[in-house]
Protein backbone atom coordinates (compact mmCIF):
# COMPACT_ATOMS: atom_id res chain seq x y z
CA UNK A 1 0.00 0.00 0.00
CA UNK A 2 2.93 2.34 0.61
CA UNK A 3 4.99 1.74 -2.52
CA UNK A 4 2.61 0.25 -5.11
CA UNK A 5 -0.70 1.96 -4.43
CA UNK A 6 -1.52 4.93 -6.67
CA UNK A 7 -5.16 5.40 -5.80
CA UNK A 8 -7.05 3.57 -7.19
CA UNK A 9 -4.46 1.65 -9.26
CA UNK A 10 -1.41 -0.38 -8.40
CA UNK A 11 1.84 -0.18 -10.31
CA UNK A 12 5.02 -2.22 -10.50
CA UNK A 13 8.10 -0.71 -8.88
CA UNK A 14 11.81 -1.37 -8.56
CA UNK A 15 12.42 -3.69 -5.61
CA UNK A 16 15.38 -1.61 -4.38
CA UNK A 17 14.37 2.00 -5.00
CA UNK A 18 10.55 1.69 -5.23
CA UNK A 19 10.68 3.75 -8.41
CA UNK A 20 7.80 3.07 -10.83
CA UNK A 21 9.02 0.82 -13.63
CA UNK A 22 5.76 -0.39 -15.14
CA UNK A 23 2.52 1.64 -14.95
CA UNK A 24 0.36 -1.33 -15.93
CA UNK A 25 -2.89 -2.86 -14.80
CA UNK A 26 -2.50 -6.62 -15.09
CA UNK A 27 -5.73 -8.63 -15.20
CA UNK A 28 -4.47 -10.91 -12.41
CA UNK A 29 -4.42 -7.87 -10.10
CA UNK A 30 -8.22 -7.99 -10.04
CA UNK A 31 -8.13 -10.50 -7.17
CA UNK A 32 -6.77 -7.78 -4.88
CA UNK A 33 -10.05 -6.02 -3.94
CA UNK A 34 -11.44 -9.37 -2.81
CA UNK A 35 -8.42 -9.94 -0.61
CA UNK A 36 -8.82 -6.44 0.81
CA UNK A 37 -12.42 -7.29 1.71
CA UNK A 38 -11.23 -10.31 3.67
CA UNK A 39 -8.74 -8.07 5.46
CA UNK A 40 -11.42 -5.48 6.24
CA UNK A 41 -10.13 -2.72 3.92
CA UNK A 42 -13.47 -2.13 2.26
CA UNK A 43 -13.10 1.48 1.06
CA UNK A 44 -9.89 1.07 -0.97
CA UNK A 45 -11.29 -2.22 -2.30
CA UNK A 46 -14.38 -0.42 -3.60
CA UNK A 47 -12.33 2.27 -5.36
CA UNK A 48 -9.91 -0.19 -6.93
CA UNK A 49 -12.70 -2.51 -8.06
CA UNK A 50 -14.47 0.42 -9.70
CA UNK A 51 -11.30 1.28 -11.63
CA UNK A 52 -10.73 -2.31 -12.71
CA UNK A 53 -14.33 -2.73 -13.84
CA UNK A 54 -14.09 0.46 -15.92
CA UNK A 55 -11.59 -1.40 -18.11
CA UNK A 56 -14.09 -4.25 -18.52
CA UNK A 57 -16.82 -1.78 -19.46
CA UNK A 58 -14.56 -0.16 -22.01
CA UNK A 59 -13.70 -3.35 -23.91
CA UNK A 60 -16.29 -5.86 -22.79
CA UNK A 61 -13.49 -7.87 -21.16
CA UNK A 62 -10.32 -7.14 -19.22
CA UNK A 63 -7.14 -7.45 -21.32
CA UNK A 64 -4.12 -9.14 -19.85
CA UNK A 65 -2.43 -5.75 -19.68
CA UNK A 66 -3.81 -2.18 -19.66
CA UNK A 67 -1.28 0.65 -19.85
CA UNK A 68 -2.08 3.33 -17.26
CA UNK A 69 0.14 5.90 -18.96
CA UNK A 70 -1.52 5.69 -22.37
CA UNK A 71 -4.89 4.37 -21.10
CA UNK A 72 -4.87 1.73 -23.82
CA UNK A 73 -4.41 -1.99 -24.18
CA UNK A 74 -0.79 -2.98 -23.74
CA UNK A 75 0.77 -4.31 -26.92
CA UNK A 76 1.04 -8.10 -26.83
CA UNK A 77 -1.38 -8.38 -23.91
CA UNK A 78 -4.74 -8.01 -25.65
CA UNK A 79 -6.27 -11.36 -24.77
CA UNK A 80 -8.85 -12.37 -22.18
CA UNK A 81 -8.58 -16.08 -21.33
CA UNK A 82 -11.85 -16.13 -19.34
CA UNK A 83 -10.14 -15.13 -16.11
CA UNK A 84 -12.16 -15.13 -12.84
CA UNK A 85 -10.30 -12.58 -10.68
CA UNK A 86 -12.58 -9.59 -11.27
CA UNK A 87 -15.68 -11.71 -10.70
CA UNK A 88 -14.18 -13.12 -7.51
CA UNK A 89 -13.68 -9.61 -6.12
CA UNK A 90 -17.20 -8.69 -7.20
CA UNK A 91 -18.58 -11.59 -5.19
CA UNK A 92 -16.64 -10.68 -2.05
CA UNK A 93 -17.61 -7.01 -2.28
CA UNK A 94 -21.28 -7.87 -2.64
CA UNK A 95 -21.04 -10.27 0.27
CA UNK A 96 -19.50 -7.52 2.42
CA UNK A 97 -21.67 -4.57 1.34
CA UNK A 98 -24.87 -6.07 -0.15
CA UNK A 99 -24.67 -3.19 -2.61
CA UNK A 100 -26.86 -3.93 -5.66
CA UNK A 101 -24.35 -2.32 -8.01
CA UNK A 102 -22.23 -5.45 -7.76
CA UNK A 103 -25.16 -7.45 -9.08
CA UNK A 104 -25.17 -5.06 -12.02
CA UNK A 105 -21.47 -5.77 -12.47
CA UNK A 106 -22.18 -9.49 -12.46
CA UNK A 107 -24.99 -9.01 -14.98
CA UNK A 108 -22.67 -7.10 -17.35
CA UNK A 109 -20.01 -9.78 -17.04
CA UNK A 110 -22.53 -12.52 -17.83
CA UNK A 111 -23.76 -10.54 -20.84
CA UNK A 112 -20.21 -10.15 -22.15
CA UNK A 113 -19.54 -13.86 -21.75
CA UNK A 114 -22.82 -14.87 -23.38
CA UNK A 115 -22.60 -12.57 -26.38
CA UNK A 116 -18.84 -12.33 -26.79
CA UNK A 117 -17.37 -15.65 -25.68
CA UNK A 118 -20.12 -18.25 -26.15
CA UNK A 119 -19.13 -21.04 -28.53
CA UNK A 120 -20.99 -24.17 -29.73
CA UNK A 121 -19.08 -26.37 -27.27
CA UNK A 122 -18.44 -23.97 -24.41
CA UNK A 123 -16.89 -20.52 -24.00
CA UNK A 124 -14.00 -19.32 -26.11
CA UNK A 125 -10.76 -17.65 -25.22
CA UNK A 126 -10.84 -14.01 -26.41
CA UNK A 127 -7.60 -13.41 -28.27
CA UNK A 128 -8.18 -9.65 -28.76
CA UNK A 129 -10.49 -7.64 -26.52
CA UNK A 130 -10.63 -4.76 -29.02
CA UNK A 131 -12.23 -6.76 -31.86
CA UNK A 132 -13.48 -9.72 -29.75
CA UNK A 133 -11.73 -12.25 -31.93
CA UNK A 134 -12.28 -15.70 -30.46
CA UNK A 135 -9.95 -18.64 -30.19
CA UNK A 136 -11.00 -22.30 -29.94
CA UNK A 137 -9.75 -22.74 -26.40
CA UNK A 138 -11.27 -22.79 -22.90
CA UNK A 139 -9.21 -22.94 -19.71
CA UNK A 140 -10.34 -25.31 -16.96
CA UNK A 141 -10.44 -22.46 -14.43
CA UNK A 142 -13.40 -21.01 -16.31
CA UNK A 143 -15.60 -23.73 -14.81
CA UNK A 144 -13.68 -24.05 -11.53
CA UNK A 145 -13.68 -20.31 -10.77
CA UNK A 146 -15.31 -17.92 -13.24
CA UNK A 147 -18.70 -19.59 -13.42
CA UNK A 148 -18.56 -20.64 -9.76
CA UNK A 149 -18.13 -17.08 -8.48
CA UNK A 150 -20.90 -15.83 -10.75
CA UNK A 151 -23.23 -18.50 -9.41
CA UNK A 152 -22.30 -17.67 -5.81
CA UNK A 153 -22.89 -13.95 -6.47
CA UNK A 154 -26.42 -14.35 -7.76
CA UNK A 155 -27.33 -17.18 -5.41
CA UNK A 156 -26.32 -15.00 -2.47
CA UNK A 157 -28.61 -12.27 -3.81
CA UNK A 158 -31.55 -14.69 -3.63
CA UNK A 159 -30.67 -15.78 -0.10
CA UNK A 160 -28.02 -17.52 1.99
CA UNK A 161 -29.66 -20.91 1.60
CA UNK A 162 -26.68 -22.75 0.18
CA UNK A 163 -23.89 -24.88 1.57
CA UNK A 164 -21.23 -22.18 1.29
CA UNK A 165 -23.15 -19.41 3.04
CA UNK A 166 -25.21 -21.38 5.54
CA UNK A 167 -23.71 -24.85 5.69
CA UNK A 168 -22.47 -26.79 8.70
CA UNK A 169 -18.88 -25.66 8.19
CA UNK A 170 -16.94 -22.56 7.25
CA UNK A 171 -15.19 -22.82 3.91
CA UNK A 172 -11.82 -21.59 2.72
CA UNK A 173 -11.45 -20.72 -0.97
CA UNK A 174 -8.16 -21.76 -2.49
CA UNK A 175 -6.51 -19.53 -5.07
CA UNK A 176 -8.03 -21.81 -7.71
CA UNK A 177 -11.57 -21.50 -6.38
CA UNK A 178 -11.69 -24.86 -4.65
CA UNK A 179 -13.72 -25.03 -1.44
CA UNK A 180 -12.02 -26.53 1.58
CA UNK A 181 -14.24 -26.95 4.65
CA UNK A 182 -12.52 -25.79 7.81
CA UNK A 183 -13.90 -29.08 9.10
CA UNK A 184 -14.06 -32.05 8.86
CA UNK A 185 -10.97 -32.85 6.81
CA UNK A 186 -8.49 -30.23 8.03
CA UNK A 187 -7.97 -29.00 11.54
CA UNK A 188 -5.36 -27.43 13.77
CA UNK A 189 -3.18 -29.32 16.19
CA UNK A 190 -4.82 -27.78 19.24
CA UNK A 191 -8.29 -28.92 18.12
CA UNK A 192 -9.71 -32.23 19.29
CA UNK A 193 -12.31 -34.88 18.54
CA UNK A 194 -15.10 -32.40 17.87
CA UNK A 195 -13.65 -32.28 14.36
CA UNK A 196 -13.39 -35.34 12.18
CA UNK A 197 -9.77 -35.60 11.12
CA UNK A 198 -8.43 -33.70 14.12
CA UNK A 199 -5.68 -34.93 16.39
CA UNK A 200 -7.54 -35.85 19.57
CA UNK A 201 -6.65 -34.20 22.84
CA UNK A 202 -5.63 -36.34 25.79
CA UNK A 203 -8.85 -35.59 27.66
CA UNK A 204 -11.02 -37.27 25.04
CA UNK A 205 -9.05 -40.49 24.80
CA UNK A 206 -10.82 -42.17 27.74
CA UNK A 207 -14.36 -41.56 26.60
CA UNK A 208 -13.90 -41.46 22.84
CA UNK A 209 -10.68 -43.13 21.72
CA UNK A 210 -9.40 -42.38 18.24
CA UNK A 211 -8.20 -44.79 15.62
CA UNK A 212 -4.58 -43.78 16.03
CA UNK A 213 -1.53 -45.30 17.69
CA UNK A 214 -0.95 -43.46 20.96
CA UNK A 215 0.90 -44.36 24.12
CA UNK A 216 -0.49 -43.61 27.53
CA UNK A 217 2.05 -40.87 28.13
CA UNK A 218 1.45 -37.27 27.13
CA UNK A 219 3.50 -34.12 27.11
CA UNK A 220 3.04 -30.39 26.94
CA UNK A 221 3.76 -28.88 23.52
CA UNK A 222 3.43 -25.10 23.17
CA UNK A 223 0.87 -25.03 25.97
CA UNK A 224 -1.31 -27.75 24.44
CA UNK A 225 -1.58 -31.34 25.63
CA UNK A 226 -0.89 -33.82 22.86
CA UNK A 227 -0.42 -37.56 23.13
CA UNK A 228 2.78 -39.24 22.17
CA UNK A 229 2.69 -41.83 19.42
CA UNK A 230 1.78 -41.82 15.79
CA UNK A 231 -1.38 -40.87 13.98
CA UNK A 232 -2.48 -43.43 11.46
CA UNK A 233 -1.80 -41.45 8.38
CA UNK A 234 0.21 -41.99 5.27
CA UNK A 235 3.19 -40.39 7.01
CA UNK A 236 4.22 -41.46 10.54
CA UNK A 237 4.14 -38.56 12.96
CA UNK A 238 5.91 -39.31 16.23
CA UNK A 239 6.18 -37.11 19.27
CA UNK A 240 9.41 -35.53 18.05
CA UNK A 241 7.62 -34.15 15.00
CA UNK A 242 5.08 -32.51 17.28
CA UNK A 243 7.86 -30.80 19.20
CA UNK A 244 9.51 -29.42 16.08
CA UNK A 245 6.30 -28.37 14.30
CA UNK A 246 4.36 -25.19 15.10
CA UNK A 247 0.99 -25.44 16.81
CA UNK A 248 -0.71 -23.96 13.77
CA UNK A 249 0.45 -26.84 11.59
CA UNK A 250 -2.13 -29.18 10.09
CA UNK A 251 -2.19 -32.67 11.55
CA UNK A 252 -4.37 -35.31 9.91
CA UNK A 253 -5.83 -37.98 12.16
CA UNK A 254 -9.01 -39.97 12.52
CA UNK A 255 -11.56 -39.69 15.30
CA UNK A 256 -14.33 -42.26 15.53
CA UNK A 257 -16.66 -40.36 17.83
CA UNK A 258 -18.71 -38.66 15.11
CA UNK A 259 -21.43 -40.11 12.95
CA UNK A 260 -21.26 -40.12 9.18
CA UNK A 261 -23.71 -37.22 9.07
CA UNK A 262 -21.60 -35.19 11.50
CA UNK A 263 -18.41 -35.95 9.63
CA UNK A 264 -19.69 -34.69 6.29
CA UNK A 265 -22.40 -32.24 7.28
CA UNK A 266 -25.27 -34.31 5.91
CA UNK A 267 -28.74 -34.27 7.45
CA UNK A 268 -30.67 -37.53 7.56
CA UNK A 269 -34.36 -37.95 8.48
CA UNK A 270 -35.08 -39.54 11.83
CA UNK A 271 -35.03 -43.33 11.64
CA UNK A 272 -35.60 -46.29 13.96
CA UNK A 273 -32.57 -47.02 16.09
CA UNK A 274 -30.68 -50.03 14.79
CA UNK A 275 -28.64 -52.33 17.05
CA UNK A 276 -25.18 -50.98 17.55
CA UNK A 277 -22.07 -52.64 16.21
CA UNK A 278 -20.89 -53.37 19.75
CA UNK A 279 -24.04 -55.40 20.54
CA UNK A 280 -23.76 -57.39 17.33
CA UNK A 281 -20.08 -58.00 18.01
CA UNK A 282 -20.90 -59.36 21.47
CA UNK A 283 -23.46 -61.73 19.98
CA UNK A 284 -20.91 -62.94 17.46
CA UNK A 285 -18.41 -63.52 20.29
CA UNK A 286 -20.93 -65.66 22.20
CA UNK A 287 -21.56 -67.83 19.16
CA UNK A 288 -17.85 -68.22 18.45
CA UNK A 289 -16.90 -69.50 21.92
CA UNK A 290 -17.32 -73.24 21.04
CA UNK A 291 -14.36 -75.55 20.39
CA UNK A 292 -15.56 -76.50 16.93
CA UNK A 293 -17.53 -74.89 14.14
CA UNK A 294 -21.00 -76.43 13.93
CA UNK A 295 -23.66 -75.63 11.34
CA UNK A 296 -27.17 -75.55 12.82
CA UNK A 297 -30.50 -75.81 11.11
CA UNK A 298 -33.20 -73.23 11.80
CA UNK A 299 -34.93 -75.50 14.30
CA UNK A 300 -31.76 -76.20 16.27
CA UNK A 301 -30.80 -72.52 16.22
CA UNK A 302 -34.05 -71.64 17.98
CA UNK A 303 -33.35 -73.91 20.93
CA UNK A 304 -32.33 -72.49 24.30
CA UNK A 305 -28.70 -71.95 25.24
CA UNK A 306 -28.86 -74.68 27.87
CA UNK A 307 -30.08 -77.20 25.36
CA UNK A 308 -27.32 -76.16 22.98
CA UNK A 309 -24.68 -76.67 25.64
CA UNK A 310 -25.95 -80.23 26.36
CA UNK A 311 -25.91 -81.05 22.66
CA UNK A 312 -22.37 -79.76 22.43
CA UNK A 313 -21.29 -82.07 25.27
CA UNK A 314 -22.86 -85.09 23.51
CA UNK A 315 -21.23 -84.14 20.22
CA UNK A 316 -17.83 -83.70 21.85
CA UNK A 317 -18.03 -87.08 23.65
CA UNK A 318 -19.07 -88.88 20.49
CA UNK A 319 -16.21 -87.26 18.60
CA UNK A 320 -13.75 -88.38 21.27
CA UNK A 321 -15.04 -91.98 21.11
CA UNK A 322 -14.75 -92.02 17.33
CA UNK A 323 -11.17 -90.84 17.60
CA UNK A 324 -10.30 -93.69 20.01
CA UNK A 325 -11.96 -96.34 17.83
CA UNK A 326 -9.28 -98.09 15.65
CA UNK A 327 -9.57 -98.00 11.91
CA UNK A 328 -10.86 -101.17 10.24
CA UNK A 329 -8.78 -103.14 7.83
CA UNK A 330 -10.48 -103.22 4.39
CA UNK A 331 -9.40 -106.88 3.93
CA UNK A 332 -11.52 -107.94 6.97
CA UNK A 333 -14.77 -106.48 5.65
Amino acid sequence: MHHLYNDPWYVEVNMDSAAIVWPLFNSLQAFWPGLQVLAGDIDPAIRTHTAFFSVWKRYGFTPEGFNLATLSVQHGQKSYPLRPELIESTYWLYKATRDARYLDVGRDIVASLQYGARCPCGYCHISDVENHKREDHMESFFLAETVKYLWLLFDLAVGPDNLVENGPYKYIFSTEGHLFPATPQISLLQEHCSYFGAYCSHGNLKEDPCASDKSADSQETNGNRVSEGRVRTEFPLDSSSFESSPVSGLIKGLCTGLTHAQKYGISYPASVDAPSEDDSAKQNDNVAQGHAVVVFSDQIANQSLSGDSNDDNVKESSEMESEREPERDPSQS
Side-chain angles (χ1 to χ4, degrees):
M1 296 299 292
H2 181 70
H3 295 291
L4 306 184
Y5 187 48
N6 284 261
D7 195 1
W9 305 95
Y10 291 83
V11 295
E12 297 182 20
V13 301
N14 182 281
M15 64 178 294
D16 296 319
S17 63
I20 297 177
V21 296
W22 198 237
L24 187 76
F25 159 62
N26 186 292
S27 63
L28 293 175
Q29 293 179 12
F31 88 96
W32 183 253
L35 185 63
Q36 286 182 303
V37 169
L38 296 177
D41 298 332
I42 304 297
D43 291 337
I46 292 173
R47 294 196 298 273
T48 298
H49 179 275
T50 301
F52 290 173
F53 182 63
S54 68
V55 179
W56 184 288
K57 291 284 290 184
R58 184 170 183 173
Y59 299 104
F61 302 99
T62 49
E64 290 290 81
F66 180 75
N67 194 303
L68 300 177
T70 62
L71 296 180
S72 61
V73 177
Q74 180 67 26
H75 180 71
Q77 300 185 30
K78 297 184 176 183
S79 65
Y80 170 68
L82 307 175
R83 293 202 183 278
E85 283 75 17
L86 182 62
I87 305 161
E88 177 184 4
S89 292
T90 303
Y91 163 69
W92 286 115
L93 275 166
Y94 178 74
K95 187 172 182 177
T97 65
R98 292 301 197 273
D99 193 330
R101 65 172 150 171
Y102 297 111
L103 297 178
D104 294 334
V105 171
R107 180 197 60 194
D108 290 346
I109 292 175
V110 170
S112 295
L113 292 172
Q114 286 295 103
Y115 296 108
R118 189 74 171 92
C119 297
C121 296
Y123 289 81
C124 288
H125 177 118
I126 304 299
S127 59
D128 191 332
V129 299
E130 292 182 310
N131 57 29
H132 289 192
K133 182 179 179 181
R134 294 183 293 184
E135 184 178 329
D136 189 14
H137 183 70
M138 185 179 79
E139 297 284 356
S140 61
F141 57 69
F142 175 74
L143 297 178
E145 299 181 75
T146 306
V147 176
K148 183 184 297 179
Y149 284 118
L150 282 170
W151 183 88
L152 288 171
L153 170 66
F154 294 113
D155 190 70
L156 180 59
V158 175
D161 188 19
N162 64 60
L163 195 64
V164 175
E165 305 297 339
N166 198 25
Y169 308 111
K170 294 181 179 180
Y171 288 87
I172 301 170
F173 285 84
S174 75
T175 54
E176 297 301 317
H178 299 291
L179 291 169
F180 294 112
T183 56
Q185 296 295 350
I186 55 178
S187 58
L188 298 179
L189 180 61
Q190 64 263 35
E191 294 174 347
H192 50 80
C193 278
S194 61
Y195 294 96
F196 172 71
Y199 190 83
C200 296
S201 65
H202 180 69
N204 288 339
L205 293 179
K206 296 180 180 179
E207 297 179 1
D208 198 9
C210 301
S212 57
D213 296 333
K214 300 182 179 72
S215 66
D217 298 331
S218 63
Q219 63 180 6
E220 295 287 340
T221 302
N222 294 332
N224 294 273
R225 295 185 63 85
V226 295
S227 300
E228 289 183 324
R230 294 189 302 274
V231 180
R232 283 184 183 174
T233 59
E234 190 173 350
F235 305 96
L237 297 171
D238 55 18
S239 59
S240 61
S241 66
F242 292 147
E243 293 176 348
S244 61
S245 62
V247 176
S248 60
L250 297 179
I251 301 298
K252 180 67 183 295
L254 179 61
C255 292
T256 59
L258 301 183
T259 65
H260 183 272
Q262 290 172 329
K263 290 175 183 178
Y264 299 103
I266 303 172
S267 298
Y268 294 111
S271 59
V272 179
D273 293 337
S276 62
E277 295 181 359
D278 295 337
D279 295 338
S280 61
K282 292 179 180 179
Q283 295 176 0
N284 293 333
D285 292 339
N286 293 333
V287 175
Q289 286 177 356
H291 297 288
V293 177
V294 182
V295 179
F296 295 95
S297 65
D298 293 339
Q299 294 178 353
I300 299 176
N302 292 329
Q303 293 178 355
S304 62
L305 293 176
S306 61
D308 291 342
S309 61
N310 294 332
D311 293 341
D312 290 341
N313 295 331
V314 174
K315 290 179 184 292
E316 289 178 2
S317 61
S318 61
E319 289 175 358
M320 294 173 63
E321 292 176 357
S322 62
E323 289 177 357
R324 291 195 296 267
E325 184 178 339
E327 295 182 357
R328 296 180 180 179
D329 189 355
S331 61
Q332 297 178 357
S333 58

